[in-house]
Structure formats: C-alpha cells, structure tokens
Amino acid sequence: MTKKEILGVLDHILDPDLRDRSIVEMGFVGEEDIAVREEEIEVSYTVGGPLCPYSAAVGILIHYTLHEKFKKRVKVRMKEGHYQQGIVNQILEDEAQFHDWLEKIKSQNLLSACLRA
C-alpha cells in the first residue's frame, strides 16, 4: 500500500460539515500527513477551523475507513490548531472511547452520510 492509495481511500470520506467535498479535497489530509509502515498506517489531519464541531468525527472516519480497507493497525492524530485537539487525540488513542464515539456516529447516520462509493 502506498500513500497515494491511502489518499485515494480517504478521498471517499466527505467533510461531515459540508458533505459535498472530500477531506482530501478540503485539504484536511495530504500525502505529507501519511506514514506507511509494515504493520501500521499513521495519519495526521486538520479540520476546517479551530471551532469545527466535527473535529473528532473526521478522525474517527479516517480510522474506521482505513482499518476496514487495509486491515492494518491505524493511528490517527489531529494536528495543532483546534481548541479541542487534546480531547480529540485522547478519544482517538483510547480504544473504549473511540468505539463509543464510533457507535454514536453510526447511530446518527453520519458514517453512511460521509462515505461515498
């Protein structure tokens, strides 16, 4: 798997706020934000602004989508610039919190709304 392949997968995740452009098109993640290792994919991302209400959802969507596609360990981190960066990264690092948030996203149909075929 290459960085370009990973970007291709991430290009199927729509910005949860606008839902008409992908997180790649919005510049939330680029090739320079991806590290590929034998057993792990690591991605850093940003969001549209320092108060974006979907800051954690974007990271959860990235993690879920890459794990489902590549069946590898995925580590996602939010870059500096959002006022809740610390909290978001804590959610992304803690497996129990991550799964709780993923279930919330699924129950609100955000997962299906933000993944394009």
Side-chain angles (χ1 to χ4, degrees):
M1 111 198 66
T2 67
K3 291 181 179 186
K4 288 190 186 299
E5 289 173 314
I6 291 168
L7 273 181
V9 171
L10 295 178
D11 196 40
H12 291 270
I13 302 173
L14 298 176
D15 174 352
D17 197 22
L18 301 177
R19 298 188 193 175
D20 66 347
R21 289 183 282 172
S22 78
I23 62 171
V24 174
E25 293 168 318
M26 295 291 293
F28 293 177
V29 63
E31 198 170 323
E32 68 279 1
D33 301 315
I34 299 169
V36 180
R37 296 181 188 83
E38 187 173 324
E39 297 296 323
E40 180 180 73
I41 302 167
E42 189 171 328
V43 178
S44 297
Y45 73 99
T46 189
V47 289
L51 301 175
C52 175
Y54 293 105
S55 55
V58 171
I60 291 166
L61 290 165
I62 291 169
H63 184 287
Y64 173 84
T65 304
L66 292 177
H67 181 72
E68 288 297 306
K69 174 68 176 175
F70 296 108
K71 306 297 185 207
K72 299 248 183 208
R73 178 175 144 83
V74 178
K75 183 177 180 183
V76 179
R77 302 268 311 154
M78 175 181 249
K79 295 180 186 178
E80 291 184 22
H82 191 278
Y83 83 104
Q84 288 187 324
Q85 175 201 3
I87 294 168
V88 169
N89 284 333
Q90 179 182 335
I91 292 166
L92 295 171
E93 291 171 3
D94 183 285
E95 192 171 330
Q97 288 185 60
F98 172 83
H99 286 290
D100 285 346
W101 278 85
L102 179 58
E103 289 308 311
K104 289 176 188 175
I105 287 171
K106 287 179 179 179
S107 72
Q108 296 172 5
N109 296 319
L110 193 59
L111 186 63
S112 58
C114 292
L115 295 179
R116 64 181 171 192

